[in-house]
C-alpha cells in the first residue's frame, strides 16, 4: 500500500486532481481544523496557490517529481524569503527574512506547495511547544494533551492531515518526540546530511532539520528531497547517491538494545510497547543484543550545557536594532537593548541564555563547557563502540506519552527529562527515527526510536519501514479533527 | 627616576582579498553605505559563515614573511560581545590556536621584535554619527583581518615607528594588504608600561586603542610614557586601563578600567569545521614568496651597488621597486636609474601616498632607453635629467627630445675648441691651476656644460683641459 505522498503524487500525475484543487482542499481543512489545533501560526495561502500553479505547470510538462504539487508546512524557524519567520517568539514578531533556507529553496524548486508556518516552542527551546509566544498547539489525538516539542505544530499538522508532510528541526529530540506524542513519523538525519542554511540557530552543533510524515516511506521521500551537501553550510556533508531504498529486510540485522534507555522514569506501558516491538524484529530474524551505554547518565547534562552555551551566543544578535521587535520608550541604546531583550524573550529562552552565559564565563568554562565537550567525545566514542557490533539501536523516544497541556511546568527539571532518550543522538550526531509502535490504554501513541550509525540514514529508514509494514499500528485522531 | 618603555603592539591589518572572510560580498572601500552586504555579513537569523580560502592563504603568507610557525590544524572561535556594529553579537576570530605563532620583525639595528601570534578574524561594521543620529554601515563588517600580536619588545616611540613601518612594508611586499592607516586598513593597539632603569620588574600596562597614524603612535607613546612616569615619580600606581588618544589635545583618556573588562566567553565556532592545512600547501606558499623588504634592501646595496641612502629611498615603496626593476630588466643600469628615480621623479611626487601609488609619469621602456643613452655615454647625466623632467612635464617619448645630434655628442675638435675658449675666458682660474690649485679646473666645467647644451662629456673635457693648461 502506498503512503500518503505517493498516493497524492500519483493522483496529480494522472490528472485526477490538480495541485491547485488539492491545495484548496487543504486550505479549507486548515480553516476548519486549525482553530482547534493551533498548529499553524502563519498561513501562507497566497504562496500556496502560487506554488500550486507552478506545480501544475511542471506536471503538465511531465517534469513532476515525488513532491511536486503536494502541500506541506514548515516549522516557523526555517527562513522563507518575504514570509514572516518568528521562531514563535515575540522577539521576531513581524520578521520577514530576505532569503530562503536551502531546504525551502530545494522544495520550492520541485514545486512543493507551502501552506504555512507551524507552531513551536520559542526558539525551539522546550519539549511541549508550550513556550510558544502564540500559545501551545494541541495534540490531534487528544486535544487536552501537548503535541510535544519543539516541532509540535509540525507534528500536529501532519497527523491531522492539514499538511501532507512538514519539516521540523531537531536539536535534542524536537522532531522525534512530538512525532512520538502525536503518532506521526519523525526523522532526524545525521548531523550534516541536511543543510542548516536558513534554519534559525538554537544550538548550531546539535540542530538538524528533519521531516515529519505520515509514514516511513514519506519520510524517506522528503529526506531524499532535502538532503545533500550545501556550499552555504560548511558543516554539511555529501550523502549517499540515489534514492533511499526501503526493502524492510531485517533478517540478520544486528540490533542493540541499550538498557540505560529503559531505566527508571520510563513508563511501564512505554517499556512494554518497545519490548514488544523488539520481539517483532527478533521474529523476523534480526539478532537482538543487550548493550551498555554508561554515558547515558551524563548525556542530559552535557546536552543542556552545550545547547545553552551555543544558544546564549546565537541569540545575542536579537537586540532590536536591525529586525524584529524593538521595545518602546528608552533613553539610550543600552536601555533599548536591555528592554527589548527583557520584553522580547520568554522565560525559558532567558533561562537558557543565562545558563549558557554562565557555563562559558571565565572561571566556569573549564568546569562546565569544556568538560561537556570532553564528555561529548566520550558519548560519541561509546556509540562508536556499540556500533562496531550493532547496525541499529532500538529505544523508546520519550519516557512517557503525551502529557496534559499545562500539566508540567515547562521549565522544571522534569520537563528536561522528557529529552533523556533523544539527546544522546544529537550529541553524537547520529541519525534516528521515531515511529508509532503502540497505542496506550488511554489512546495515546508510543514512539519507537531507531538509532543508526552516522550517515547510515538509509538503514535507519529501512529498519523502520519493516516495523511499520509488519505492525500496522494505527493511531486514531480524536473525533473533533477526524476527516 | 629613569624608566624604560616596555611596549607591545596588537596590529589589525585588513586583508586585500576581493571578497569578505565569510561571504562573497565585495571588500571595496568607499562604496555607498550598506551596499556590500548580505544575510551572512549582516548576521541575519539562519545565515551561516563559509570561510574564504584566500584569507587563510594570505594569512599564511603574512606568517611566513614574519618568520612564524604555521599551525597545520587550527580552528575559529566566537568572541562574544554586544555592540551595534557587530551584527551577530560575536566576532568570529581565533582564540587558543592562532594560524601563525612565534615570528619576528627585524629592525635596521638588527633587533628583533618578536611576534606572539597572527590570527584571522572578521572586521566589524562602522558607526556613523550624523545629525544627532547614529547610523550603521555594515560594508566593512566581515572584511578579513589579521591581528598581529607582538611581544613587549618595543622600547621607544622611534622603535614603534620603525616596527609599524616595517610591518606595513612587509605586508605590502607580499601583497596581502595595502596597509593604509588613513583608510583604516591598518590599525594599532599600543600596550605600554614603564620599568625603572636597571630593573626587570614589569610595570602595570595601559592600552591605547585604535591608533591610525604612525606619527600619532609616536606622540601618544611619548605622552603616555610621560604620564606614567609622573605617576610613578609621585609614588602613585598606574591603573590598568584601556585608553583613547585624542589627536587634538595630544593626550590619552581612560575608556574603561580593569573592573569593567569584558568577558568574551570564547568558544569554538560550531558553524565552521576545523581548518586543516597540508604541509605541502605551506611549502608551496613558502616557495613562491616574493622577495622581502630586507632582502631587497640588501640586494640593492650589495649586488646592485647602490648607496645605502638611495636604496633606502627606493625599497620603501613597493611600486617604485617594481618600476625600478622593470627598467633594469630592459637593460638600464642600476645607478643611473636609481638616481633618476630618487632625484628627478621623486621631486614631482610630493606626498608619501604618491610615492606608494607611484605613477612614474614615464613608461619603463622610455626610462630604460634614456638611462641606456647615459650608461653608454651617449648623453651625460645632466642631459638625461633635463630630458626626464621635460618628459614628466610635457609627456612624449625619449626620442621626441633626444636628437641624433645629441646622441652624436660633441666631436673632439669641437670639444677642444670649447676648452680653449673656457681657459681664455677665465684666465684667473687658469693661473690658479697652473699655480698648483688642482681644484681650480672645476671652474671650467660649468662653462663647457652650458656652452655644449649639456652634451659635452666632462671626463673627456677634463683631459683636454689639463693638456691645454700644461701647454
Amino acid at each position: 500500500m502506498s503512503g500518503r505522498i505517493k498516493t497524492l503524487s500519483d493522483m496529480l500525475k494522472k490528472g485526477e486532481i490538480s495541485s491547485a484543487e488539492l491545495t484548496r482542499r487543504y486550505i479549507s481543512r486548515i480553516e476548519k481544523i486549525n482553530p482547534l489545533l493551533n498548529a499553524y501560526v502563519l498561513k501562507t495561502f497566497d504562496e500556496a496557490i502560487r506554488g500550486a500553479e507552478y506545480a501544475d505547470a511542471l506536471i503538465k510538462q511531465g517534469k513532476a517529481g515525488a513532491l511536486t504539487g503536494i502541500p506541506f508546512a514548515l516549522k516557523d524557524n526555517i527562513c522563507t524569503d518575504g514570509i514572516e519567520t518568528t521562531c514563535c517568539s515575540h522577539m521576531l514578531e513581524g520578521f520577514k527574512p530576505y532569503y530562503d533556507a536551502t531546504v525551502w529553496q530545494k522544495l520550492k524548486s520541485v514545486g512543493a506547495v507551502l501552506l504555512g508556518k507551524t507552531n513551536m516552542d520559542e526558539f525551539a527551546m522546550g519539549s511541549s511547544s508550550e513556550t510558544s509566544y502564540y500559545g501551545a498547539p494541541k495534540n490531534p489525538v487528544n486535544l487536552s494533551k501537548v503535541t510535544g516539542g519543539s516541532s509540535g505544530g509540525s507534528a500536529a499538522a501532519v497527523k491531522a492531515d492539514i499538511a501532507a508532510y512538514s519539516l521540523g528541526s531537531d536539536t535534542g529530540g524536537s522532531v522525534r518526540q512530538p512525532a512520538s506524542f502525536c503518532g506521526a513519523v519523525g526523522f532526524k538525519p545525521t548531523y550534516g546530511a541536511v543543510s542548516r542554511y536558513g534554519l534559525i540557530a538554537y544550538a548550531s552543533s546539535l540542530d538538524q532539520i528533519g521531516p515529519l510524515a505520515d509514514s516511513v516511506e514519506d519520510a524517506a521521500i522528503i529526506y531524499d528531497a532535502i538532503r545533500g551537501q550545501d556550499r552555504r553550510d560548511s558543516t554539511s556533508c555529501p550523502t549517499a547517491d540515489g534514492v533511499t531504498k526501503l526493502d524492510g529486510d531485517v533478517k540478520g540485522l544486528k540490533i542493540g538494545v541499550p538498557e540505560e534507555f529503559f531505566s527508571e522514569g520510563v513508563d511501564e506501558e512505554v517499556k512494554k510497547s518497545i519490548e514488544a516491538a523488539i520481539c517483532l524484529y527478533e521474529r523476523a530474524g534480526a539478532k537482538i543484543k543487550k548493550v551498555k551505554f554508561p554515558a547515558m547518565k551524563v548525556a542530559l547534562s552535557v546536552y543542556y550545557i552545550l545547547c545553552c552555551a551555543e544558544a546564549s551566543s546565537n541569540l545575542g544578535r536579537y537586540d532590536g536594532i536591525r529586525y524584529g521587535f524593538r521595545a518602546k520608550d528608552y533613553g539610550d541604546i543600552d536601555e533599548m537593548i536591555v528592554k527589548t531583550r527583557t520584553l522580547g524573550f520568554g522565560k525559558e529562552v532567558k533561562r537558557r541564555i543565562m545558563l549558557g552565559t554562565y557555563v562559558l564565563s571565565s572561571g566556569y568554562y573549564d568546569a562546565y563547557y569544556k568538560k561537556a565537550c570532553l564528555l561529548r567525545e566520550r558519548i560519541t566514542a561509546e556509540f562508536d563502540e556499540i556500533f562496531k557490533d550493532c547496525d541499529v539501536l532500538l529505544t523508546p523516544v520519550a519516557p512517557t506519552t503525551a502529557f496534559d497541556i499545562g500539566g508540567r511546568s515547562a521549565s522544571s527539571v522534569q520537563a528536561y527529562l522528557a529529552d533523556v532518550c533523544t539527546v544522546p543522538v544529537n550529541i553524537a550526531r547520529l541519525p534516528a527515527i521515531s515511529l508509532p509502535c503502540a497505542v496506550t490504554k488511554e489512546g495515546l501513541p508510543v514512539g519507537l526510536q531507531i538509532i543508526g550509525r552516522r550517515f547510515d540514514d538509509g538503514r535507519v529508514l529501512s529498519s523502520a519501514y519493516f516495523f511499520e509494514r509488519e505492525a500496522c499500528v494505527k493511531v486514531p485522531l480524536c473525533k473533533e479533527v477526524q476527516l | 627616576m629613569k624608566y624604560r618603555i616596555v611596549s607591545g603592539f596588537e596590529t589589525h591589518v585588513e586583508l586585500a582579498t576581493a571578497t569578505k572572510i565569510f561571504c562573497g560580498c565585495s571588500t571595496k572601500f568607499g562604496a555607498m553605505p550598506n551596499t556590500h552586504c548580505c544575510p551572512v555579513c549582516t548576521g541575519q537569523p539562519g545565515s551561516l559563515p563559509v570561510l574564504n580560502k584566500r584569507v587563510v592563504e594570505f594569512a599564511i603568507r603574512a606568517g611566513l614573511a614574519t618568520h612564524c610557525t604555521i599551525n597545520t590544524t587550527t580552528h575559529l572561535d566566537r568572541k562574544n560581545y554586544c555592540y551595534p556594529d557587530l551584527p551577530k553579537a560575536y566576532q568570529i576570530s581565533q582564540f587558543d590556536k592562532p594560524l601563525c605563532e612565534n615570528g619576528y620583525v627585524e629592525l635596521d639595528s638588527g633587533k628583533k621584535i618578536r611576534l606572539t601570534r597572527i590570527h584571522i578574524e572578521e572586521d566589524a561594521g562602522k558607526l556613523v554619527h550624523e545629525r544627532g543620529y547614529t547610523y550603521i554601515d555594515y560594508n566593512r563588517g566581515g572584511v578579513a583581518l589579521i591581528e598581529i600580536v607582538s611581544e613587549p619588545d618595543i622600547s621607544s616611540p622611534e622603535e614603534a615607528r620603525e616596527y609599524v613601518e616595517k610591518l606595513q612594508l612587509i605586508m605590502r611586499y607580499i601583497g596581502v594588504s595595502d596597509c593604509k592607516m588613513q583608510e583604516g586598513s591598518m590599525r594599532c593597539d599600543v600596550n605600554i608600561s614603564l620599568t625603572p632603569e636597571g630593573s626587570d620588574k614589569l610595570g602595570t600596562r595601559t592600552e591605547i586603542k585604535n591608533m591610525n597614524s604612525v606619527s600619532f603612535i609616536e606622540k601618544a607613546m611619548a605622552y603616555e610614557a610621560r604620564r606614567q612616569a609622573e605617576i610613578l615619580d609621585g609614588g602613585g600606581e598606574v591603573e590598568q586601563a584601556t585608553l583613547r588618544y585624542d589627536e587634538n589635545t595630544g593626550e590619552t583618556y581612560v575608556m574603561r578600567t580593569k573592573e569593567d573588562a569584558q568577558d568574551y566567553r570564547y568558544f569554538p565556532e560550531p558553524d565552521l569545521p576545523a581548518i586543516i592545512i597540508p604541509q605541502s600547501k605551506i611549502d608551496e606558499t613558502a616557495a613562491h614568496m616574493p622577495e622581502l623588504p630586507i632582502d631587497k634592501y640588501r640586494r640593492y646595496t650589495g649586488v646592485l651597488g647602490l648607496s645605502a641612502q638611495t636604496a633606502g629611498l627606493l625599497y620603501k615603496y613597493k611600486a617604485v621597486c617594481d618600476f625600478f626593476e622593470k627598467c633594469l630588466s630592459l637593460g638600464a643600469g642600476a645607478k643611473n636609474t636609481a638616481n633618476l628615480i630618487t632625484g628627478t621623479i621623486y621631486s614631482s611626487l610630493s606626498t608619501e601616498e604618491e610615492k606608494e601609488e607611484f605613477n612614474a609619469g614615464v613608461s619603463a621602456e622610455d626610462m630604460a632607453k634614456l638611462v641606456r643613452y647615459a650608461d653608454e655615454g651617449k648623453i651625460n647625466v645632466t642631459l638625461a635629467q633635463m630630458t626626464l623632467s621635460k618628459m614628466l612635464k610635457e609627456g612624449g617619448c625619449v626620442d621626441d627630445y633626444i636628437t641624433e645630434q645629441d646622441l652624436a655628442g660633441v666631436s673632439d675638435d669641437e670639444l677642444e675648441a670649447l676648452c680653449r675658449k673656457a681657459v681664455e675666458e677665465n684666465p684667473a682660474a687658469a693661473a690658479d691651476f697652473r699655480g698648483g690649485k688642482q681644484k681650480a679646473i672645476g671652474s671650467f666645467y660649468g662653462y663647457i656644460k652650458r656652452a655644449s647644451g649639456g652634451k659635452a662629456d666632462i671626463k673627456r673635457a677634463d683631459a683636454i683641459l689639463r693638456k691645454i693648461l700644461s701647454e
Side-chain angles (χ1 to χ4, degrees):
Chain A
M1 206 193 83
S2 284
R4 185 190 284 169
I5 288 176
K6 227 170 219 167
T7 306
L8 291 175
S9 183
D10 285 348
M11 286 167 68
L12 289 165
K13 283 176 192 157
K14 284 183 194 148
E16 292 168 15
I17 191 170
S18 69
S19 175
E21 175 56 25
L22 180 63
T23 301
R24 276 195 294 277
R25 283 191 200 173
Y26 266 99
I27 289 173
S28 74
R29 186 162 159 78
I30 290 169
E31 301 283 28
K32 214 171 84 194
I33 305 292
N34 193 57
L36 295 172
L37 293 177
N38 195 24
Y40 283 96
V41 291
L42 180 76
K43 291 170 273 190
T44 57
F45 296 158
D46 288 344
E47 165 61 31
I49 287 161
R50 186 209 62 75
E53 282 167 5
Y54 173 63
D56 282 330
L58 286 178
I59 293 165
K60 229 182 241 162
Q61 294 159 28
K63 289 179 187 160
L67 293 174
T68 308
I70 298 174
F72 81 111
L74 283 174
K75 188 176 180 178
D76 200 31
N77 59 355
I78 296 173
C79 285
T80 42
D81 191 352
I83 297 170
E84 229 177 294
T85 304
T86 72
C87 291
C88 290
S89 176
H90 186 28
M91 185 58 97
L92 279 175
E93 208 173 6
F95 171 61
K96 288 181 180 170
Y98 63 92
Y99 74 98
D100 283 331
T102 296
V103 288
W104 166 223
Q105 204 173 53
K106 281 188 166 189
L107 292 174
K108 188 157 55 171
S109 70
V110 298
V113 176
L114 181 68
L115 292 165
K117 308 293 283 280
T118 54
N119 208 345
M120 58 184 279
D121 279 300
E122 183 179 2
F123 281 102
M125 296 177 186
S127 310
S128 65
S129 301
E130 289 171 289
T131 69
S132 166
Y133 180 63
Y134 303 106
K138 289 175 185 160
N139 193 320
V141 176
N142 180 333
L143 296 180
S144 68
K145 301 291 179 184
V146 297
T147 55
S150 65
S151 311
S154 288
V158 171
K159 180 61 190 169
D161 201 9
I162 49 177
Y165 67 93
S166 64
L167 295 187
S169 65
D170 191 317
T171 306
S174 283
V175 162
R176 289 159 289 157
Q177 187 255 20
S180 158
F181 277 17
C182 293
V185 172
F187 178 49
K188 182 204 103 68
T190 302
Y191 182 81
V194 177
S195 168
R196 288 186 296 118
Y197 190 77
L199 171 67
I200 297 182
Y202 158 24
S204 315
S205 77
L206 300 155
D207 292 343
Q208 183 63 59
I209 292 173
L212 287 116
D214 185 52
S215 67
V216 174
E217 183 193 77
D218 285 3
I221 291 169
I222 303 155
Y223 169 64
D224 283 345
I226 60 173
R227 67 190 165 98
Q229 190 162 30
D230 179 5
R231 58 174 180 79
R232 288 173 297 187
D233 175 2
S234 305
T235 62
S236 70
C237 301
T239 53
D241 290 336
V243 293
T244 300
K245 280 198 197 70
L246 302 175
D247 52 24
D249 180 9
V250 297
K251 197 157 191 265
L253 186 73
K254 288 181 278 179
I255 293 175
V257 179
E259 55 191 30
E260 290 81 357
F261 282 75
F262 297 82
S263 56
E264 55 182 319
V266 180
D267 272 6
E268 273 313 306
E269 240 183 324
V270 170
K271 236 185 249 182
K272 288 218 171 74
S273 307
I274 305 299
E275 279 158 6
I278 294 168
C279 284
L280 191 67
Y281 279 91
E282 195 167 19
R283 281 203 299 276
K287 290 190 188 112
I288 312 295
K289 189 186 161 198
K290 282 217 179 326
V291 294
K292 283 218 185 306
F293 180 58
M296 181 75 169
K297 60 180 184 294
V298 296
L300 204 60
S301 311
V302 167
Y303 171 76
Y304 275 99
I305 289 169
L306 294 179
C307 75
C308 291
E310 292 181 22
S312 72
S313 172
N314 283 329
L315 272 63
R317 74 189 67 195
Y318 305 110
D319 53 15
I321 292 176
R322 289 161 298 271
Y323 42 72
F325 168 72
R326 181 188 293 183
K328 290 189 187 73
D329 306 323
Y330 44 84
D332 59 17
I333 185 154
D334 292 331
E335 196 191 343
M336 189 274 273
I337 294 172
V338 170
K339 267 194 167 176
T340 297
R341 288 171 70 83
T342 304
L343 297 171
F345 287 136
K347 241 171 107 178
E348 183 60 22
V349 173
K350 283 183 204 160
R351 178 183 347 257
R352 295 196 192 189
I353 290 174
M354 286 192 285
L355 249 169
T357 305
Y358 178 77
V359 300
L360 288 175
S361 300
S362 75
Y364 298 97
Y365 181 91
D366 287 355
Y368 293 100
Y369 182 78
K370 200 171 168 194
K371 198 185 235 173
C373 288
L374 291 171
L375 287 171
R376 181 180 200 165
E377 284 172 29
R378 192 207 286 181
I379 291 168
T380 307
E382 280 190 17
F383 270 120
D384 289 349
E385 193 57 36
I386 291 171
F387 279 120
K388 277 185 185 161
D389 235 4
C390 300
D391 298 316
V392 293
L393 308 179
L394 296 189
T395 77
V397 176
T400 67
T401 53
F403 44 87
D404 289 340
I405 292 177
R408 276 183 193 176
S409 160
S411 57
S412 69
V413 172
Q414 201 194 357
Y416 288 2
L417 278 170
D419 303 328
V420 68
C421 298
T422 44
V423 295
V425 169
N426 300 75
I427 294 170
R429 305 183 156 99
L430 305 171
I433 197 166
S434 161
L435 73 162
C437 69
V439 178
T440 62
K441 286 184 233 95
E442 209 187 345
L444 296 172
V446 176
L448 166 69
Q449 177 168 242
I450 306 174
I451 306 169
R453 298 184 184 104
R454 266 183 299 284
F455 294 104
D456 204 9
D457 302 55
R459 196 194 303 262
V460 170
L461 286 159
S462 185
S463 310
Y465 181 71
F466 158 81
F467 182 86
E468 184 182 68
R469 190 186 62 197
E470 299 303 316
C472 292
V473 178
K474 292 274 176 283
V475 183
L477 290 168
C478 71
K479 61 181 187 311
E480 292 92 333
V481 299
Q482 266 166 19
L483 285 158
Chain B
M1 211 194 291
K2 274 276 210 178
Y3 300 98
R4 266 190 310 125
I5 291 179
V6 178
S7 172
F9 273 51
E10 288 162 35
T11 308
H12 286 93
V13 170
E14 223 168 61
L15 297 182
T17 51
T19 56
K20 295 186 181 181
I21 183 166
F22 299 120
C23 64
C25 290
S26 164
T27 55
K28 231 180 159 111
F29 181 78
M32 287 288 289
N34 296 311
T35 53
H36 291 167
C37 291
C38 75
V40 177
C41 58
T42 56
Q44 295 295 307
S47 65
L48 296 172
V50 176
L51 179 61
N52 180 347
K53 280 196 184 131
R54 294 283 285 165
V55 170
V56 179
E57 285 169 24
F58 276 35
I60 292 174
R61 254 196 262 171
L64 291 171
T66 49
H67 315 278
C68 285
T69 313
I70 312 296
N71 284 319
T72 50
T73 306
T74 175
H75 64 263
L76 291 146
D77 295 282
R78 287 190 187 177
K79 178 181 181 179
N80 295 285
Y81 67 93
C82 171
Y83 202 66
D85 64 5
L86 192 68
K88 299 188 294 295
Y90 56 83
Q91 178 193 31
I92 305 180
S93 178
Q94 293 191 285
F95 179 53
D96 54 349
K97 191 129 198 227
L99 187 59
C100 318
E101 286 179 286
N102 302 324
Y104 64 85
V105 170
E106 192 176 338
L107 304 184
D108 287 340
S109 62
K111 176 175 175 179
K112 286 172 181 170
I113 308 298
R114 291 168 301 157
L115 302 185
T116 319
R117 55 186 278 159
I118 300 178
H119 68 252
I120 55 174
E121 62 184 23
E122 59 181 334
D123 208 344
K126 211 155 68 185
L127 297 187
V128 184
H129 305 281
E130 255 173 41
R131 301 186 290 273
Y133 289 92
T134 300
Y135 299 87
I136 315 178
D137 178 3
Y138 289 112
N139 280 351
R140 202 181 67 185
V143 168
L145 297 177
I146 48 174
E147 182 176 331
I148 305 167
V149 182
S150 88
E151 292 287 314
D153 289 348
I154 295 164
S155 37
S156 70
E158 296 72 33
E159 266 185 19
R161 166 183 281 275
E162 196 189 342
Y163 167 73
V164 173
E165 285 178 348
K166 286 271 182 305
L167 212 50
Q168 226 170 4
L169 200 53
I170 292 169
M171 297 304 145
R172 284 178 186 152
Y173 262 54
I174 59 174
V176 303
S177 176
D178 58 16
C179 288
K180 286 185 183 164
M181 293 193 93
Q182 66 282 8
E183 284 182 11
S185 63
M186 185 180 196
R187 320 188 276 274
C188 297
D189 299 339
V190 180
N191 288 281
I192 177 168
S193 68
L194 296 185
T195 294
E197 203 72 73
S199 158
D200 283 336
K201 202 172 149 278
L202 287 176
T204 306
R205 70 188 163 87
T206 57
E207 181 181 14
I208 314 167
K209 277 274 180 199
N210 246 330
M211 302 297 300
N212 59 4
S213 123
V214 178
S215 57
F216 287 141
I217 289 174
E218 275 186 307
K219 285 181 195 154
M221 276 180 80
Y223 173 84
E224 181 59 16
R226 238 179 3 254
R227 188 186 74 88
Q228 289 188 13
E230 273 166 28
I231 293 172
L232 295 173
D233 286 342
E237 274 178 31
V238 174
E239 189 185 17
Q240 187 173 336
T242 305
L243 310 176
R244 181 177 62 82
Y245 176 72
D246 187 318
E247 297 162 7
N248 299 315
T249 62
E251 295 174 4
T252 56
Y253 296 91
V254 174
M255 276 164 71
R256 55 174 186 266
T257 54
K258 200 188 174 187
E259 279 88 74
D260 20 72
Q262 300 200 47
D263 182 354
Y264 292 120
R265 308 189 324 273
Y266 280 101
F267 73 103
E269 166 58 275
D271 286 329
L272 291 164
I275 303 169
I276 295 161
I277 305 157
Q279 186 59 44
S280 60
K281 172 90 200 163
I282 298 169
D283 295 342
E284 193 196 309
T285 310
H288 291 94
M289 283 292 276
E291 187 178 34
L292 292 174
I294 195 154
D295 299 324
K296 197 181 277 293
Y297 177 80
R298 284 176 185 152
R299 182 165 61 87
Y300 283 6
T301 52
V303 181
L304 297 184
L306 301 183
S307 69
Q309 197 206 355
T310 309
L313 286 170
L314 289 176
Y315 97 113
K316 272 165 67 182
Y317 312 103
K318 174 78 171 44
V320 172
C321 293
D322 291 345
F323 180 80
F324 171 67
E325 290 180 21
K326 177 104 191 274
C327 294
L328 264 49
S329 76
L330 293 166
K335 276 186 195 161
N336 279 331
T337 310
N339 289 335
L340 283 172
I341 290 174
T342 55
T344 314
I345 298 186
Y346 273 14
S347 65
S348 70
L349 305 173
S350 48
T351 63
E352 284 293 296
E353 286 76 42
E354 281 177 335
K355 285 177 196 156
E356 273 157 25
E357 301 284 332
F358 196 64
N359 190 354
V362 56
S363 74
E365 284 75 15
D366 268 320
M367 181 79 175
K369 199 169 196 180
L370 182 67
V371 173
R372 278 204 317 269
Y373 288 151
D375 290 344
E376 291 158 11
K378 290 182 178 161
I379 60 172
N380 64 24
V381 171
T382 314
L383 182 58
Q385 283 167 346
M386 279 160 44
T387 308
L388 184 56
S389 294
K390 274 191 214 150
M391 284 165 69
L392 294 177
K393 243 180 250 145
E394 293 156 29
C397 59
V398 183
D399 295 325
D400 295 342
Y401 297 99
I402 305 274
T403 61
E404 289 290 329
Q405 220 180 344
D406 290 332
L407 292 177
V410 181
S411 72
D412 287 350
D413 293 348
E414 280 171 318
L415 192 57
E416 185 159 348
L418 273 175
C419 290
R420 286 197 186 280
K421 194 101 188 277
V423 173
E424 273 167 33
E425 297 216 339
N426 199 346
D432 283 349
F433 181 82
R434 288 185 177 116
K437 281 190 184 168
Q438 290 287 321
K439 273 188 183 166
I441 199 164
S443 316
F444 306 111
Y445 295 168
Y447 174 87
I448 294 166
K449 274 188 200 168
R450 268 196 311 282
S452 68
K455 285 185 288 178
D457 183 344
I458 297 302
K459 254 193 218 153
R460 271 167 57 215
D462 183 85
I464 295 167
L465 282 168
R466 284 176 196 278
K467 194 185 80 189
I468 294 167
L469 290 167
S470 65
E471 276 169 358

